[in-house]
Amino acid sequence: MTTEEGYVWSTVQDAPVQELFPGMRLRPLWQGDNGAKAYVLEMDPDSRWQGIDVHEPGPEEVFVVSGVFNDGDRDYPAGSFIHAPAGSSHVPQTTTGCTLFLFYPEG
């Protein structure tokens, strides 16, 4: 991550990889002073979150960069934006594989 004149930028390729579950990799891109965080989540075909993903303490913002994301209820193709309010939950999964941009404005 590099900082210059108040701007912060990073690349997905340079972000460390954290294996969340088999076939699911999280790459941290940014963390703000107030706890806000931005990530890229890479999901291989036929991968699934183990358990239920509960959004706490705040909401989750999701942008589907590529592939098709399923929240356990419906499919969201590339280009979709999802706002999941604090306290809501879902079971992230994909049959095709997908890449997501995740933003947590409250951490």
Side-chain angles (χ1 to χ4, degrees):
M1 189 177 299
T2 307
T3 304
E4 182 178 307
E5 298 178 27
Y7 285 85
V8 177
W9 69 90
S10 59
T11 64
V12 172
Q13 296 81 7
D14 292 336
V17 178
Q18 177 187 356
E19 185 89 10
L20 291 178
F21 302 109
M24 296 179 74
R25 294 166 304 284
L26 188 66
R27 295 176 181 261
L29 297 176
W30 172 81
Q31 183 168 341
D33 294 336
N34 64 350
K37 298 175 186 173
Y39 298 95
V40 165
L41 179 65
E42 302 164 333
M43 299 175 66
D44 293 341
D46 298 317
S47 60
R48 178 185 179 99
W49 189 272
Q50 295 176 1
I52 298 174
D53 181 22
V54 179
H55 308 114
E56 294 175 336
E60 176 185 62
E61 312 284 346
V62 178
F63 180 76
V64 182
V65 176
S66 66
V68 178
F69 171 69
N70 182 285
D71 65 1
D73 198 30
R74 67 183 62 84
D75 284 336
Y76 299 92
S80 298
F81 173 78
I82 306 151
H83 167 81
S88 66
S89 62
H90 61 186
V91 180
Q93 55 198 291
T94 182
T95 57
T96 63
C98 63
T99 299
L100 309 176
F101 174 76
L102 307 175
F103 181 64
Y104 299 95
E106 297 176 27

